[in-house]
Amino acid sequence: MCGIIGVIDRKRALMDGSSIRDALSLMNERGSGEGAGYAAYGIYPDYQDCYAIHVFFDNLVEPKSQVDHMLHKWGRIVHQEAIPTYEQEGLKRSHIPWRYFFKPYSDLMAGSTTPEDDVIKHIVMETNSNIQGALIFSSGKNMGVFKASGWPEDVANFYRIEDYKGYIWLAHNRYPTNTPGWWGGAHPFNLLDWAVVHNGEITSYGTNRRYVESQGYTCSMFTDTEVVAYLFDLLGRRHGLPEDIVVKALAPPFWDEIDNMPEKEQKLNHAIRLTYGPALMNGPFAIVVATHEGIVGFTDRIKLRPLVIGENEDRLYISSEEAAIRVMDPDVQNIHMPRAGEPVIGRLNV
Amino acid sequence: MSLGSVPLKYKVSIDREQCMHCMRCIDNCSYGVFHREDDRIIIDSRKCTACHHCISMCPRDAITLKERPVDYRSHPLWTAEAREDIINQARSGKIILSGMGNAKPYPVIFDRLVLDACQVTNPSIDPLREPMELRTYLGKKPSRLEINKKDNGDVELLTKLTPNLKLDTPIMIGHMSYGAISLNAQLSLAKAVEKTGTFMGTGEGGLHEAIYPYQKNMIVQVASGRFGVDINYLERGAAIEIKIGQGAKPGIGGHLPGEKVCQDVSCTRMIPLGSDAISPAPHHDIYSIEDLAQLVRSLKEATEWKKPVFVKIAAVHNAAAIAAGIARSSADAVVIDGFRGGSGATPKVFRDNVGIPIEAAVASVDQKLKDQGIRNKISVIASGGIRNSADIAKSIALGADAVYIGTGALIAMGCRVCGQCYRGMCPWGIATQRPDLVERLDPEVESEHVANLIRSWTLELSELMGAAGINSIESLRSNRSRLRGYMLDEGTLDVLQVKPVGA
Ligand code: SF4
Ligand code: SF4
């Protein structure tokens, strides 16, 4: 079932990770102690022009030399270090989390309008499908994902999540059925600027996967959530569609509703469904997606998973449970539930 | 020395105690199995084709039919069929003709594929309570949308979509020409597709005036003989289909014997009365893929780019690459006709030995288009041996947008798959032009039967989708992860991109 929560401060005020940790722990009923994770935007101001590449290494010999080699080929490593971690009794360390701050050479990707992003995407896909013992799980600028197998509080303390300050946070408490115990299987999933937390199971995974694969993505995480990140990257970044249109492609209105729309809207929705049929996500889900510009939360078309919204001045909260939001912000206002498939968008206004 | 007769195929007998001497069987059998001598009904079993018309009309259930009443010495290689074919050909020196689809006992891949259903981790969806979308659009889709979001939030759509066919259900009826089947049969099918919001093909026989009222549900066919094709015909169709090949007889053309070309057929096909209608093996203006692309464009030009153009090919070894070539033309859909597809008249050696099953063909076509990133450029229609809603669900999960059914629709009108269509004496009034037989088929009644079949399969399809937690047909399309192969070999699983059961 899984528990998710996301928050944005629209004025970019920074929040440390302690309160989202507490909120996530409140939803332990929804997890099984086998996976939790956090994503935060705005945490690396000193390296904001670099891609922050987070990697799980099985050891620092073979896999790391291969990743180093690839990075050297494609750009310049500005800085690298082990991600600081602190032993927790309830958490078994299975990988070494490492981070690179990296600048790709933009002239290496011919024919691309976003060459730097495409270099990074290539590095991520290559590493995750071809380098044994290395997994890139975070690759955006001035943002990072922190995840592991364990209860939310253990994972948070393992990374000392309160040491990071971000204006957007996503968090996820996992109840795995597919790939228990695997660090890579924990959420959030990330590619470039996109981070995704997801509660549910995508029954259209086979269709969505074939679609993103035909557009040059490689699915390597053995879980359905990764396609959401790729779909957002494809539609949002490469096709240049705004988030609300991307959500309309992923969780479109029913044909009956479209048939009854005013002509212009009808034409648009009709075109979206025809063009992006293979991107339509079926099955029960509640999802929150973030980029450095904002967050968007939405559910499947018949809302088979919960999603609650709360607001407090500049802050917008999206979560599986109202109680979790109240832990983060006891004074939260305007708690409500969005309709099925309706996107809830929180955008920066600075 | 004479070869003598081959043993009877069927043995018909009448339970004389049950029989009430109504003589209906005599009237019903167009093959002349029954005749009357004084007060007795005499049976000539050798003429029987197992069409079941007498059996279905006998008020007393007095007629019994047995297949192969005479045994041969059993032999695994020299089957009775192999021996009989040789005997017959030794006599005739000719190609053996046959009707309907492939009759060899090849394993059926559909029967070795199983579908998935939800349990616990995701809920199944109840089609009685929740919307279930089977609406399908056939035609080219853009690979991406261009929009312009204005500052006031207004979204302007810049991409122009090409015309698509809108189907209420992904089930269409394949091309069976007037000539191959009767006008009443075609009329029944036309009424059925109109009732169910879908489409049917005219076949290569032109469009009879009686079908004009249903033209918005008709896909008109342009085949190698170009029979019945003129601008009026093209403009009447909702879409145009170029027929390159047919699953029952890949690589060869067609032949409608002159005796079937009556006044009406001759007008509709635009050929002289009583002349043989011969469709050549290739189109004589298509000798390569670019010629095909040109014909697609010509048809589009002729109809002002208002109608989708489909291209139908037989499922052969190289179907995937051919489909990829077709996807690069202006064509909107590629129809793949598997080797079980039916036919009115086909050399038996082709019907039973040439081509590949639709399951493998659709999977490999979908895969090739996906690998080349052009899957959305074209719709894929599967046909050839689709027997029920499960076959449809499996075809779609293997990559089809929609299916054509043929034999299934005929069975709904009475056909018993006796395989004698090429003889023109179909007692059900389907594959015949004999007025007394055609009259037996009432379009009002039979269209309802065919429509019912489409409705039932549509309902079952929604139930199967709901059980799999899917409420929109596009999420079933190419969703190979919802299929598993049962006792399929590794090579086939690999082609189908399906995991074995339990994996
Ligand atoms: S139809 Fe049946 S009952 Fe009538 S004559 Fe034939 S066998 Fe007898
Ligand atoms: S259409 Fe008529 S002749 Fe052909 S198989 Fe069916 S029953 Fe027999």
Side-chain angles (χ1 to χ4, degrees):
Chain A
M1 57 185 187
C2 306
I4 58 177
I5 183 160
V7 58
I8 176 172
D9 188 292
R10 297 188 185 103
K11 288 244 167 70
R12 243 178 169 274
L14 299 179
M15 303 163 262
D16 77 39
S18 55
S19 66
I20 200 162
R21 171 192 62 198
D22 298 343
L24 193 63
S25 307
L26 178 104
M27 294 191 283
N28 275 350
E29 275 280 300
R30 295 184 159 270
S32 65
E34 289 170 274
Y38 302 83
Y41 288 74
I43 54 173
Y44 295 133
D46 297 346
Y47 295 103
Q48 49 178 312
D49 296 335
C50 298
Y51 289 88
I53 297 181
H54 289 192
V55 196
F56 288 139
F57 284 123
D58 288 0
N59 64 64
L60 296 182
V61 190
E62 257 302 296
K64 180 156 189 307
S65 62
Q66 286 186 53
V67 171
D68 284 349
H69 181 73
M70 176 145 58
L71 292 175
H72 284 307
K73 262 197 325 204
W74 286 99
R76 189 163 61 85
I77 300 170
V78 176
H79 178 68
Q80 61 168 311
E81 63 189 5
I83 297 178
T85 55
Y86 308 86
E87 294 303 323
Q88 300 298 313
E89 221 172 275
L91 194 150
K92 187 173 156 286
R93 179 191 278 274
S94 2
H95 305 280
I96 303 162
W98 194 270
R99 66 188 163 207
Y100 297 90
F101 294 99
F102 178 74
K103 279 198 167 161
Y105 301 134
S106 56
D107 49 355
L108 293 181
M109 202 45 100
S112 166
T113 46
T114 49
E116 294 201 344
D117 283 351
D118 284 324
V119 168
I120 300 295
K121 183 188 136 218
H122 174 79
I123 291 172
V124 174
M125 298 290 149
E126 271 298 302
T127 306
N128 293 354
S129 34
N130 296 328
I131 302 183
Q132 276 275 320
L135 182 91
I136 299 180
F137 60 98
S138 184
S139 53
K141 281 182 181 169
N142 198 9
M143 62 82 63
V145 169
F146 303 89
K147 61 186 184 181
S149 294
W151 290 104
E153 54 277 22
D154 288 337
V155 174
N157 296 336
F158 177 70
Y159 289 106
R160 250 190 222 161
I161 209 76
E162 64 269 32
D163 290 352
Y164 296 93
K165 290 190 176 58
Y167 59 93
I168 292 175
W169 281 87
L170 298 186
H172 185 269
N173 190 346
R174 183 165 188 238
Y175 193 132
T177 49
N178 252 331
T179 51
W182 188 53
W183 285 27
H187 300 211
F189 278 89
N190 159 274
L191 178 70
L192 296 165
D193 205 19
W194 307 102
V196 182
V197 287
H198 163 219
N199 166 23
E201 189 167 309
I202 304 173
T203 54
S204 56
Y205 174 65
T207 305
N208 306 139
R209 176 182 174 159
R210 290 176 69 80
Y211 178 56
V212 295
E213 284 184 346
S214 77
Q215 305 299 316
Y217 298 84
T218 315
C219 294
S220 53
M221 310 276 194
F222 314 111
T223 176
D224 48 7
T225 310
E226 104 180 280
V227 299
V228 183
Y230 302 159
L231 285 169
F232 266 88
D233 186 55
L234 177 67
L235 273 58
R237 177 176 67 87
R238 285 172 49 196
H239 293 184
L241 301 173
E243 308 89 332
D244 54 334
I245 302 282
V246 177
V247 170
K248 275 218 162 71
L250 271 39
F254 287 95
W255 284 118
D256 282 350
E257 299 168 46
I258 296 177
D259 291 347
N260 291 317
M261 288 175 180
E263 196 195 325
K264 203 171 156 212
E265 209 185 332
Q266 186 184 80
K267 260 183 104 175
L268 176 69
N269 280 279
H270 178 89
I272 293 173
R273 281 201 73 167
L274 253 63
T275 312
Y276 294 112
L280 188 157
M281 297 197 318
N282 234 297
F285 63 79
I287 288 175
V288 185
V289 180
T291 71
H292 71 278
E293 288 175 333
I295 61 176
V296 47
F298 62 107
T299 67
D300 62 85
R301 311 195 297 158
I302 50 178
K303 206 168 181 190
L304 295 167
R305 287 287 190 272
L307 201 68
V308 185
I309 313 300
E311 280 179 287
N312 194 353
E313 294 183 2
D314 295 329
R315 304 247 161 117
L316 172 75
Y317 301 91
I318 307 179
S319 175
S320 309
E321 292 193 20
E322 180 181 336
I325 298 178
R326 290 198 182 279
V327 166
M328 282 193 84
D329 188 343
D331 303 324
V332 65
Q333 309 285 313
N334 195 15
I335 289 270
H336 66 281
M337 295 181 200
R339 285 195 327 191
E342 180 193 311
V344 178
I345 298 174
R347 215 175 268 125
L348 283 182
N349 53 13
V350 279
Chain B
M1 172 100 190
S2 148
L3 280 168
S5 62
V6 293
L8 287 179
K9 250 213 176 96
Y10 310 104
K11 169 94 182 141
V12 182
S13 48
I14 293 178
D15 181 338
R16 307 278 170 181
E17 271 194 8
Q18 282 291 322
C19 173
M20 61 186 256
H21 282 84
C22 70
M23 305 297 162
R24 270 181 220 172
C25 45
I26 299 180
D27 299 338
N28 269 291
C29 185
S30 52
Y31 297 104
V33 171
F34 306 94
H35 71 273
R36 187 174 176 164
E37 275 176 22
D38 303 327
D39 254 359
R40 221 182 132 67
I41 299 170
I42 307 293
I43 302 170
D44 182 354
S45 287
R46 187 165 292 281
K47 291 183 174 155
C48 177
T49 66
C51 77
H52 277 199
H53 207 268
C54 61
I55 292 176
S56 63
M57 297 300 154
C58 171
R60 285 288 178 88
D61 285 333
I63 304 172
T64 316
L65 192 157
K66 264 185 76 83
E67 193 164 7
R68 292 225 164 270
V70 181
D71 286 335
Y72 282 80
R73 173 201 163 215
S74 54
H75 192 286
L77 184 66
W78 294 101
T79 57
E81 186 190 343
R83 281 175 261 188
E84 281 172 14
D85 284 354
I86 290 176
I87 296 169
N88 285 331
Q89 289 189 296
R91 252 193 219 113
S92 71
K94 294 210 170 102
I95 288 172
I96 302 176
L97 265 190
S98 64
M100 302 313 274
N102 195 318
K104 260 199 185 176
Y106 294 104
V108 182
I109 298 178
F110 280 135
D111 292 340
R112 292 176 182 221
L113 284 171
V114 288
L115 290 157
D116 193 18
C118 295
Q119 301 287 294
V120 186
T121 52
N122 49 20
S124 32
I125 303 169
D126 185 349
L128 291 175
R129 293 161 194 271
E130 305 283 353
M132 196 52 70
E133 299 189 313
L134 278 87
R135 189 189 290 188
T136 301
Y137 284 90
L138 295 180
K140 269 197 176 346
K141 318 275 189 298
S143 52
R144 54 178 291 185
L145 278 191
E146 305 270 0
I147 62 160
N148 180 15
K149 195 161 186 174
K150 299 195 192 119
D151 290 339
N152 63 5
D154 242 23
V155 178
E156 193 192 355
L157 180 64
L158 303 175
T159 311
K160 208 172 143 22
L161 267 68
T162 51
N164 270 240
L165 277 196
K166 173 179 160 246
L167 282 58
D168 290 342
T169 173
I171 309 167
M172 300 188 289
I173 298 178
H175 290 255
M176 292 174 277
S177 68
Y178 171 44
I181 62 172
S182 66
L183 189 56
N184 276 359
Q186 231 188 27
L187 206 53
S188 310
L189 300 174
K191 284 177 190 282
V193 290
E194 190 194 43
K195 287 183 197 181
T196 51
T198 182
F199 295 81
M200 70 174 278
T202 57
E204 187 185 23
L207 191 67
H208 191 278
E209 270 180 33
I211 310 285
Y212 286 179
Y214 308 95
Q215 61 188 33
K216 63 175 196 322
N217 296 84
M218 302 298 289
I219 301 166
V220 296
Q221 193 177 66
V222 174
S224 61
R226 302 288 150 85
F227 300 125
V229 179
D230 65 4
I231 188 67
N232 167 47
Y233 172 70
L234 296 179
E235 268 171 1
R236 283 182 188 276
I240 301 168
E241 182 166 315
I242 301 172
K243 174 192 168 183
I244 299 294
Q246 186 176 340
K249 41 180 172 181
I252 61 172
H255 180 182
L256 186 72
E259 24 320 342
K260 275 193 170 178
V261 181
C262 59
Q263 184 68 47
D264 240 15
V265 171
S266 105
C267 290
T268 318
R269 292 210 174 201
M270 304 174 188
I271 53 172
L273 185 71
S275 66
D276 286 9
I278 297 179
S279 307
H283 286 240
H284 284 310
D285 53 0
I286 302 180
Y287 279 77
S288 66
I289 189 82
E290 59 273 24
D291 292 345
L292 171 67
Q294 230 170 48
L295 178 61
V296 173
R297 246 189 340 265
S298 315
L299 292 170
K300 289 239 174 201
E301 279 295 331
T303 51
E304 297 169 329
W305 296 82
K306 284 187 187 141
K307 293 178 198 293
V309 173
F310 301 174
V311 178
K312 171 177 167 180
I313 57 168
V316 288
H317 307 185
N318 203 24
I322 301 164
I326 295 170
R328 287 187 170 74
S329 75
S330 317
D332 294 87
V334 56
V335 183
I336 324 276
D337 195 20
F339 80 158
R340 285 204 171 77
S343 156
T346 290
K348 185 160 171 256
V349 65
F350 276 81
R351 185 194 72 176
D352 291 349
N353 297 285
V354 185
I356 63 170
I358 189 59
E359 303 92 319
V362 162
S364 60
V365 165
D366 181 60
Q367 183 68 33
K368 176 77 89 197
L369 295 174
K370 177 206 144 189
D371 289 346
Q372 301 188 5
I374 52 176
R375 177 62 182 85
N376 51 357
K377 282 202 165 200
I378 200 154
S379 297
V380 176
I381 301 163
S383 71
I386 286 165
R387 302 157 298 172
N388 49 47
S389 58
D391 288 356
I392 300 173
K394 291 168 190 177
S395 303
I396 294 174
L398 288 171
D401 290 83
V403 302
Y404 270 145
I405 60 167
T407 307
L410 298 190
I411 297 174
M413 296 195 288
C415 161
R416 300 291 158 103
V417 198
C418 72
Q420 305 292 312
C421 322
Y422 60 95
R423 290 172 60 191
M425 296 201 285
C426 175
W428 294 91
I430 301 169
T432 179
Q433 304 303 330
R434 237 173 70 180
D436 60 316
L437 299 176
V438 175
E439 216 170 76
R440 293 180 179 180
L441 199 156
D442 180 347
E444 285 311 320
V445 177
E446 297 315 329
S447 64
E448 198 46 31
H449 289 151
V450 176
N452 273 340
L453 180 72
I454 296 175
R455 289 183 195 121
S456 326
W457 286 0
T458 304
L459 281 176
E460 287 180 344
L461 205 51
S462 338
E463 291 286 344
L464 288 170
M465 283 167 52
I470 286 174
N471 60 13
S472 179
I473 194 92
E474 48 265 63
S475 296
L476 181 64
R477 193 171 307 135
S478 294
N479 200 341
R480 318 272 176 103
S481 49
R482 309 311 295 279
L483 286 174
R484 288 290 184 272
Y486 189 32
M487 307 279 279
L488 281 172
D489 63 282
E490 222 175 294
T492 309
L493 287 173
D494 196 44
V495 168
L496 301 178
Q497 292 277 297
V498 165
K499 289 183 188 162
V501 284

